[in-house]
């Protein structure tokens, strides 16, 4: 929300200067993100008129113009898309300086002399608008100094509004709170209405067929208007507040939205069939084209503003192209309504639209202010566009929105905040905020104002009291001295440890939504469908994900489309599974999932062999996880291997499964826009934690040298290296410090169904050096047990 200091000043005498107001807004609960100071740079700037304009050959946007600046015509090269003959403009002569500090000089561009610059609002320092040159009113005198008309300084504050304060989405709402804080009077503007003899109720009829979604709908009519630009001051004010001026009638609706926080819409009465407005739910799969030209397929829970035969606006979101205000519009029907916030938000999210209107309706507008804003709109349309206002307002109000009334205890508020408030001061604050108070006794009855839907209970009023008084008044006090001790959540700590390990291995952490829709996206085959949501917010959020691999594959596809093919992604989050017949509950679990694809090493300066990632990279990663997590008895088991490269395996500890891993070959990943083999894993964090030691003992670094031996044995093909390792560990004695296989060889020369497995054994004593005889004795024991248990033959 952009707030203008000058605009706020029209409602009250601001107690602080421009550079201090940002602090006041912060005290009120607004987060000031930026402050824009607009001070026009108007020295050597005059009013001119474009009398000639021709495109410069060989360019796509430059024009050579002649501009009458009063007494002489200057040749000026201009690149703005809206430059044309007859336009009244601001001309920066040679020697002038733009708001950004650039000095204007005579120059030659594409063979044409340019004696100045036709300025935009941004170059003059009037606003941030730079889409084209500034178009000025035709009645402004040619050759006059621009300072005669444009000397309008202002300060605009870019503030972030919390969802619970819809009243802050208006200048009046902010002005009201400033007045309450500083105990000063404020006054909303009153627009003069001159009604004609005709009646609005004779011109248009309103029928609300969905009162829960639209409790109030008002219509006013202005006839015989003339479509033209809005007054220059209005256009400038809208531009500074982030709204593009369009025409006088449309600008009225935006102007009052910024002033009151109440969205409005204007219909061309010619296109409202039968002069009837019906507020109804859309027909299923009804097509509707909004003002931005987009065609939307409506659903039966979307609220439409319709005439006798068709929809003319999506309620609270955007108007329709079929009834927009046009250059030849004469009669205007003004819509001013209160729509249920939930319905507007649901429709806007489903359509993928977020507008200035929907943002206000979603938070909750003031239902009691609807007739006043509708009348104000009619008055401004008459003032800026002429025409006649038909008498009266069609106020359709089938379901009044009651104000909230609740109990309030001043003493409880004092205890909660830690300040002994005077009851008269408390009552004064609540009244200044717009509340109706029935005081007396320990418990008061307070009625919240219609523009504050966030005030729902006693504690809300307590917060308002200290907000207006100032948080700095809360006294500093020592705590009672009670020390609280706690313990970190073990699952959370495991999650952080795994994240650190994977980041250290070159992975990037991804964060995705846990909701998705398999119908709208291509996902890896075999992924669990997850859990269907009973009341999804949008079609894209129908399911809770059954596997974290689903969003990771989509992220990989998006990176591939942008040329990044070397990926290592992981995510730690929740996945969901359906219950079974005996236990229909939905199961939620914490998992870590990841995928790898592309080259093994980062691209370096010197060329070297850089193979693509394969199974052994994935296996090595899992082994690193096992070692770093102290899962000493973990096993990596592979199965479902085929000739196409598809692989699936399981990570186990002491027979219990921690999760799965695998490889999706290029042939399957092509359907997902991934032109490469993809390695993946997904492990259950709770299962991993259950098999991780709860205590860890410190072991000093070894001081004595190690001894190592290599051994190669021929065994049957079904005997795995893991089985051999278990036998070696049980046979080698307590001084075996490390063991790993480093070669597997199969050949007919070894015999049918035979293979050779080579392993390295490392021995180390913590308190002395081992001699060769001790190591040899251990190796003889190892060989004997391998021979007896696995019929191994030493090579």
């Amino acid at each position: 929300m952009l707030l203008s200091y000058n605009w706020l000043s029209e409602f009250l005498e601001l107690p602080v200067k421009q550079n201090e107001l940002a602090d006041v807004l912060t005290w009120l609960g607004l987060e000031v993100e930026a402050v824009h100071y607009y001070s026009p740079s108007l020295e050597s700037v005059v009013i001119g008129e474009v009398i000639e304009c021709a495109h410069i050959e060989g360019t796509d946007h430059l024009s050579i113009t002649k501009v009458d600046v009063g007494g002489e015509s200057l040749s000026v090269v201009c690149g703005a898309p809206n430059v044309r003959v007859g336009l009244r403009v601001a001309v920066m002569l040679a020697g002038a300086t733009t708001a950004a500090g650039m000095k204007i000089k005579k120059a030659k561009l594409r063979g044409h002399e340019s004696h100045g610059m036709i300025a935009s609002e941004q170059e003059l320092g009037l606003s941030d608008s730079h889409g084209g040159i500034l178009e000025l009113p035709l009645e402004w005198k040619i050759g006059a100094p621009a300072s005669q008309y444009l000397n309008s300084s202002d300060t605009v504050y870019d503030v972030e509004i919390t969802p619970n304060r819809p009243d802050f989405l208006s200048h009046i709402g902010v002005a009201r709170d400033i007045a309450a804080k500083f105990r000063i009077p404020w006054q909303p503007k009153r627009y003069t209405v001159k009604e004609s003899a005709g009646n609005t109720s004779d011109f248009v009829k309103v029928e609300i067929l969905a009162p829960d979604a639209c409790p109030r709908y008002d219509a006013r009519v202005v006839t015989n208007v003339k479509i033209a630009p809005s007054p220059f001051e209005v256009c400038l004010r809208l531009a500074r507040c982030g709204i593009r001026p369009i025409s006088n009638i449309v600008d009225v609706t935006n102007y009052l939205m910024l002033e009151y926080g109440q969205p409005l819409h204007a219909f061309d009465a010619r296109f409202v069939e039968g002069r009837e407005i019906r507020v109804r739910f859309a027909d299923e799969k009804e097509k509707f084209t909004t003002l931005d030209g987009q065609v939307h397929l409506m659903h039966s829970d979307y609220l439409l503003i319709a005439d006798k035969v068709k929809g003319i606006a999506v309620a609270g979101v955007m108007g329709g192209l079929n009834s927009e205000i046009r250059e030849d519009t004469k009669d205007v029907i003004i819509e001013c309504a209160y729509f249920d916030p939930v319905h507007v938000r649901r429709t806007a999210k489903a359509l993928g639209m977020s507008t200035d209107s929907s943002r206000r309706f979603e938070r909750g507008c003031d239902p009691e202010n609807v007739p006043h804003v509708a009348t104000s709109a009619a008055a401004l349309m008459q003032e800026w566009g002429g025409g006649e206002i038909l008498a009266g307002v069609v106020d359709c109000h089938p379901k009044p929105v009651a104000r909230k009334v609740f109990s309030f205890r001043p003493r409880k508020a004092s205890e909660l905040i830690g300040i002994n408030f005077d009851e008269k001061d408390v009552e004064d604050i609540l009244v200044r905020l717009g509340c109706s108070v029935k005081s007396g006794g320990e418990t008061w009855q307070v009625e919240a104002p219609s523009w504050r839907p966030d005030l729902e209970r006693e504690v809300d009023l307590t917060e308002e009291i200290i907000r207006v008084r100032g948080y700095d008044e809360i006294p500093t006090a020592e705590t009672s001295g009670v020390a609280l001790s706690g313990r970190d959540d073990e699952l959370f700590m495991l999650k952080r440890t795994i994240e650190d390990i994977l980041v250290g291995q070159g992975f990037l952490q991804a964060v995705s939504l846990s909701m998705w829709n398999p119908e709208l996206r291509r996902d890896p085959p075999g992924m669990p469908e997850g859990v269907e949501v009973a009341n999804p917010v949008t079609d894209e959020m129908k399911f809770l994900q059954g596997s974290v691999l689903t969003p990771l594959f989509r992220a990989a596809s998006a990176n591939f489309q942008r040329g990044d093919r070397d990926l290592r992604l992981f995510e730690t989050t929740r996945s969901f599974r359906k219950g079974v017949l005996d236990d229909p509950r939905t199961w939620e679990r914490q998992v870590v999932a990841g995928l790898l694809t592309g080259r093994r090493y980062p691209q370096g300066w010197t060329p070297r062999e850089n193979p693509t990632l394969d199974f052994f990279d994935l296996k090595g990663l899992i082994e690193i996880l096992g070692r770093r997590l102290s899962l000493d008895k973990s096993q990596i088991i592979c199965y479902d291997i085929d000739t196409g490269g598809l692989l699936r395996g399981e990570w186990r500890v002491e027979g219990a499964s921690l999760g799965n891993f695998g490889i999706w070959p290029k042939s399957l990943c092509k359907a997902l826009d991934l032109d490469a083999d993809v390695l993946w894993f997904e492990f259950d964090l709770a299962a991993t934690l259950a098999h991780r030691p709860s205590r860890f003992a410190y072991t000093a670094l070894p001081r004595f040298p190690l001894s190592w031996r290599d051994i190669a044995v021929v065994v049957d093909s079904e005997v795995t290296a893991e089985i051999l390792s278990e036998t070696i560990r049980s046979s080698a004695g307590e001084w075996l410090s490390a063991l790993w296989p480093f070669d597997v060889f199969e050949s007919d020369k070894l015999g049918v169904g035979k293979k050779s497995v080579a392993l390295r054994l490392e021995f180390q004593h913590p308190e002395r050096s081992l001699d060769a005889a001790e190591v040899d004795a251990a190796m003889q024991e190892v060989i004997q047990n391998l021979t007896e248990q696995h019929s191994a033959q030493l090579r």
Side-chain angles (χ1 to χ4, degrees):
M1 175 70 181
L2 296 171
L3 296 171
S4 162
Y5 185 92
N6 291 351
W7 205 338
L8 290 171
S9 299
E10 295 180 0
F11 305 109
L12 76 167
E13 185 177 343
L14 288 170
V16 294
K17 295 181 180 180
Q18 289 90 333
N19 59 343
E20 299 171 335
L21 184 59
D23 291 334
V24 173
L25 296 175
T26 302
W27 295 340
L28 293 175
L30 293 164
E31 181 181 349
V32 181
E33 296 186 338
V35 181
H36 307 280
Y37 297 97
Y38 295 111
S39 182
S41 177
L42 301 176
E43 188 175 350
S44 298
V45 182
V46 298
I47 307 301
E49 182 178 4
V50 179
I51 56 177
E52 292 182 16
C53 181
H55 177 70
I56 297 178
E57 295 293 333
T59 68
D60 57 353
H61 66 286
L62 293 181
S63 301
I64 178 65
T65 67
K66 274 196 175 182
V67 185
D68 181 4
V69 293
E72 65 174 326
S73 298
L74 299 180
S75 174
V76 179
V77 175
C78 182
N82 61 326
V83 64
R84 60 188 183 276
V85 173
L87 202 61
R88 202 65 55 96
V89 294
V91 182
M92 305 188 80
L93 305 176
T97 303
T98 67
M102 184 182 74
K103 193 167 185 178
I104 304 302
K105 301 177 181 179
K106 292 181 181 180
K108 199 167 188 178
L109 301 173
R110 296 298 181 100
H112 297 274
E113 289 189 352
S114 184
H115 295 270
M117 182 172 72
I118 304 176
S120 68
E121 293 179 32
Q122 186 183 54
E123 289 153 348
L124 291 171
L126 293 171
S127 77
D128 292 331
S129 177
H130 58 281
I133 57 175
L134 177 61
E135 300 186 20
L136 302 176
L138 296 178
E139 60 269 19
W140 287 12
K141 184 180 177 181
I142 296 173
S147 58
Q148 181 177 330
Y149 302 100
L150 297 175
N151 197 14
S152 175
S153 299
D154 197 2
T155 302
V156 174
Y157 308 87
D158 188 352
V159 298
E160 184 69 25
I161 309 296
T162 54
N164 66 317
R165 291 302 303 270
D167 57 314
F168 274 165
L169 287 167
S170 68
H171 283 77
I172 280 182
V174 175
R176 185 191 293 119
D177 260 36
I178 294 174
K181 181 167 184 64
F182 289 95
R183 300 173 183 263
I184 56 178
W186 76 283
Q187 182 64 47
K189 286 187 286 188
R190 300 293 177 183
Y191 298 101
T192 304
V193 179
K194 299 178 182 178
E195 296 181 335
S196 66
N199 290 316
T200 300
S201 58
D202 295 333
F203 189 95
V204 63
K205 306 295 181 185
V206 176
E207 182 181 11
I208 298 179
L209 302 177
D212 289 334
C214 178
R216 190 168 198 172
Y217 191 101
D218 280 20
R220 289 217 66 152
V221 176
V222 183
T223 61
N224 297 318
V225 299
K226 181 181 179 182
I227 304 300
S230 297
F232 179 78
E233 296 77 11
V234 172
C235 294
L236 184 59
R237 178 168 285 185
L238 288 174
R240 285 175 173 173
C241 290
I243 300 292
R244 179 176 62 89
I246 298 173
S247 68
N248 50 3
I249 301 303
V250 177
D251 291 348
V252 165
T253 63
N254 289 326
Y255 189 89
L256 291 178
M257 178 184 68
L258 296 177
E259 186 162 281
Y260 286 100
Q262 170 66 53
L264 302 105
H265 190 69
F267 299 105
D268 188 324
R270 291 177 298 175
F271 306 113
V272 179
E273 296 288 342
R275 302 273 180 86
E276 294 182 13
I277 290 180
R278 297 176 179 176
V279 185
R280 61 170 174 84
F281 286 113
D283 297 329
E284 189 66 24
K285 296 186 178 180
E286 179 178 353
K287 290 185 178 180
F288 182 75
T289 305
T290 47
L291 281 169
D292 56 2
Q294 297 296 314
V295 179
H296 301 278
L297 197 64
M298 311 299 285
H299 293 288
S300 58
D301 57 347
Y302 297 176
L303 191 65
L304 268 186
I305 309 301
D307 59 20
K308 198 173 182 179
V309 298
K310 65 182 183 302
I312 54 177
V314 180
V317 181
M318 187 178 286
L321 194 63
N322 57 9
S323 58
E324 68 173 337
I325 300 298
R326 307 180 185 184
E327 292 183 356
D328 59 346
T329 295
K330 295 296 182 184
D331 300 333
V332 177
I333 298 175
I334 302 169
E335 169 193 280
C336 189
Y338 174 80
F339 299 114
D340 175 62
V342 174
H343 280 85
V344 174
R345 177 170 177 78
R346 186 175 297 165
T347 301
K349 292 287 285 183
L351 294 175
M353 302 174 71
S354 179
T355 63
D356 289 316
S357 175
S358 67
R359 280 192 290 273
R360 286 165 172 81
F361 279 123
E362 286 171 9
R363 289 163 171 80
C365 295
D366 183 358
E368 296 181 13
N369 205 31
V370 168
H372 172 69
V373 179
T375 299
S376 299
L380 281 182
M381 288 183 187
Q382 185 181 55
E383 180 182 342
W384 298 350
E388 299 178 352
I389 302 174
L390 299 189
V393 181
V394 176
D395 183 14
C396 199
H397 200 186
K399 192 173 183 180
V401 180
R403 292 192 180 193
K404 296 172 183 174
V405 180
F406 44 89
S407 299
F408 173 72
R409 294 165 293 174
R411 182 179 297 177
K412 182 68 175 178
S414 296
E415 293 174 356
L416 187 62
I417 297 175
I419 299 176
N420 189 20
F421 289 117
D422 181 81
E423 290 190 359
K424 289 184 178 180
D425 189 26
V426 170
E427 183 176 1
D428 180 58
I429 290 174
L430 295 178
V431 170
R432 281 187 277 127
L433 288 172
C435 297
S436 297
V437 182
K438 291 183 180 179
S439 58
E442 291 190 2
T443 303
W444 299 356
Q445 292 299 308
V446 178
E447 182 182 72
S450 57
W451 59 83
R452 291 295 301 274
D454 60 306
L455 300 182
E456 298 179 329
R457 49 189 180 154
E458 183 180 34
V459 71
D460 295 330
L461 295 181
T462 303
E463 182 183 2
E464 288 298 289
I465 292 168
I466 191 59
R467 185 178 66 87
V468 173
R469 281 285 297 267
Y471 294 107
D472 54 339
E473 290 196 16
I474 299 177
T476 302
E478 293 184 1
T479 62
S480 61
V482 176
L484 300 178
S485 62
R487 183 180 179 185
D488 290 326
D489 179 76
E490 293 182 348
L491 191 63
F492 175 80
M493 297 304 295
L494 173 64
K495 175 182 171 184
R496 282 299 178 88
T497 300
I498 292 176
E499 289 172 352
D500 290 341
I501 294 171
L502 292 175
V503 169
Q505 295 300 312
F507 279 74
L508 295 176
Q509 186 170 7
V511 179
S512 62
L513 293 174
S514 60
M515 291 183 172
W516 62 295
N517 187 348
E519 301 170 1
L520 302 180
R521 295 190 173 113
R522 293 171 294 173
D523 294 309
M527 292 293 104
E529 65 177 4
V531 179
E532 188 170 2
V533 179
N535 188 23
V537 177
T538 68
D539 285 342
E540 293 189 353
M541 294 179 158
K542 281 187 174 181
F543 287 84
L544 291 166
Q545 63 191 13
S547 171
V548 187
L549 291 171
T550 298
L552 285 177
F553 269 83
R554 290 199 296 267
S557 176
N559 278 273
F560 261 58
Q561 293 173 14
R562 290 160 177 80
D564 189 358
R565 302 174 62 87
D566 300 325
L567 299 175
R568 297 187 183 206
L569 302 175
F570 81 95
E571 183 170 5
T572 52
T573 185
R574 295 176 175 85
S575 66
F576 305 84
R577 296 289 176 92
K578 284 183 178 180
V580 294
L581 187 61
D582 295 337
D583 188 356
R585 292 178 298 173
T586 297
W587 291 92
E588 175 183 334
R589 60 179 188 148
Q590 289 265 18
V591 298
V592 56
L595 59 80
L596 310 82
T597 186
R599 294 171 292 192
R600 179 172 296 161
Y601 307 110
Q603 190 68 22
W605 286 97
T606 57
R608 61 174 174 175
E609 184 181 356
N610 197 356
T612 57
L613 295 166
D614 58 23
F615 165 74
F616 295 101
D617 295 287
L618 180 59
K619 177 175 179 288
L621 174 67
I622 298 173
E623 289 174 341
I624 289 172
L625 283 171
R627 285 198 301 270
R628 293 283 299 275
L629 297 176
S630 301
L631 301 174
D632 297 330
K633 297 181 180 180
S634 67
Q635 294 177 296
I636 299 173
I637 301 173
C638 296
Y639 49 87
D640 291 351
I641 304 175
D642 65 14
T643 56
L646 177 66
L647 178 144
R648 186 176 175 88
E650 190 174 20
W651 192 24
R652 293 181 182 175
V653 174
E654 298 177 342
S657 176
L658 303 186
N660 299 98
F661 61 87
I663 300 176
W664 285 97
K666 179 178 178 179
S667 57
L668 290 178
C669 290
K670 276 188 175 181
L672 306 173
D673 296 326
L674 295 171
D675 190 22
D677 294 343
V678 176
L679 293 66
W680 59 268
F681 61 86
E682 186 171 33
F683 304 133
D684 189 310
L685 294 181
T688 304
L689 180 64
H691 290 87
R692 192 183 187 207
S694 57
R695 290 174 178 255
F696 299 91
Y698 168 75
T699 302
L701 292 174
R703 297 186 309 164
F704 299 95
L706 60 82
S707 299
W708 57 270
R709 297 286 190 273
D710 289 342
I711 183 174
V713 293
V714 178
V715 294
D716 293 337
S717 297
E718 61 269 15
V719 178
T720 65
E722 182 66 27
I723 293 174
L724 295 176
S725 298
E726 289 180 2
T727 301
I728 293 173
R729 288 191 184 97
S730 62
S731 308
E734 59 180 327
W735 301 327
L736 179 69
S737 60
L739 166 68
W740 68 90
F742 63 86
D743 183 61
V744 177
F745 174 71
E746 292 184 84
S747 172
D748 293 340
K749 296 179 180 179
L750 299 175
V752 178
K754 297 290 184 178
K755 66 179 179 182
S756 171
V757 180
L759 304 100
R760 170 160 292 190
L761 291 76
E762 290 184 354
F763 297 88
Q764 194 168 37
H765 197 287
E767 298 177 353
R768 61 180 176 82
S769 297
L770 293 170
D771 58 36
E774 291 174 306
V775 176
D776 290 341
M779 288 299 299
Q780 288 300 321
E781 185 71 18
V782 167
I783 294 171
Q784 181 179 344
N785 279 280
L786 289 175
T787 302
E788 293 176 356
Q789 296 181 29
H790 307 296
S791 302
Q793 299 177 9
L794 192 66
R795 289 188 67 192

